[in-house]
Amino acid sequence: MENHPFNWVATIIAALALGIWLFTSFGMIHEEHKEEAEITSKTHNDEGYFVEVDDKKIHVKDTSTWMLLKEGETYNLTYEWYGMKKPYVTEVNQAHDDDQVGGH
């Protein structure tokens, strides 16, 4: 069987596509910032402490922070995730708080 240039090109394109998909799925950290995000519920179980914002369950690693958050209140919330990990909170601040770090 002969090696056709098409086979090599198709193999290289498939390998590049797979590499890009793996990098964007597992190698990149994704971050999202929500202004005036309302916490609709708070839960905890054996896996940790969670808040629900816009129908998305977000892990709160610091239990003290979780205890301070109140259902029905709005916050400026930043969370991130990578790969197959659950999103987790990295920054929380009260909505309309001009005294925050880096505020106006």
Side-chain angles (χ1 to χ4, degrees):
M1 183 169 213
E2 292 182 31
N3 282 335
H4 292 289
F6 176 76
N7 290 343
W8 287 104
V9 171
T11 302
I12 290 170
I13 290 173
L16 283 173
L18 179 64
I20 291 169
W21 177 80
L22 285 171
F23 176 73
T24 57
S25 296
F26 298 100
M28 273 177 65
I29 295 176
H30 305 277
E31 181 178 88
E32 190 165 337
H33 180 74
K34 299 261 187 197
E35 295 282 333
E36 297 186 29
E38 182 178 348
I39 297 191
T40 53
S41 70
K42 291 172 50 175
T43 57
H44 66 90
N45 55 31
D46 293 340
E47 295 178 14
Y49 294 82
F50 300 91
V51 293
E52 188 169 325
V53 176
D54 295 336
D55 296 328
K56 182 176 261 190
K57 193 174 183 181
I58 304 171
H59 185 226
V60 182
K61 291 183 177 182
D62 182 20
T63 56
S64 299
T65 301
W66 183 83
M67 291 172 71
L68 292 172
L69 298 174
K70 296 179 182 169
E71 289 182 19
E73 295 288 323
T74 58
Y75 299 92
N76 294 339
L77 190 69
T78 303
Y79 59 93
E80 60 186 37
W81 70 97
Y82 61 94
M84 303 306 282
K85 298 287 184 182
K86 293 179 178 149
Y88 59 92
V89 173
T90 57
E91 186 178 322
V92 176
N93 213 326
Q94 291 179 329
H96 307 293
D97 183 8
D98 292 333
D99 294 333
Q100 65 183 339
V101 175
H104 300 92

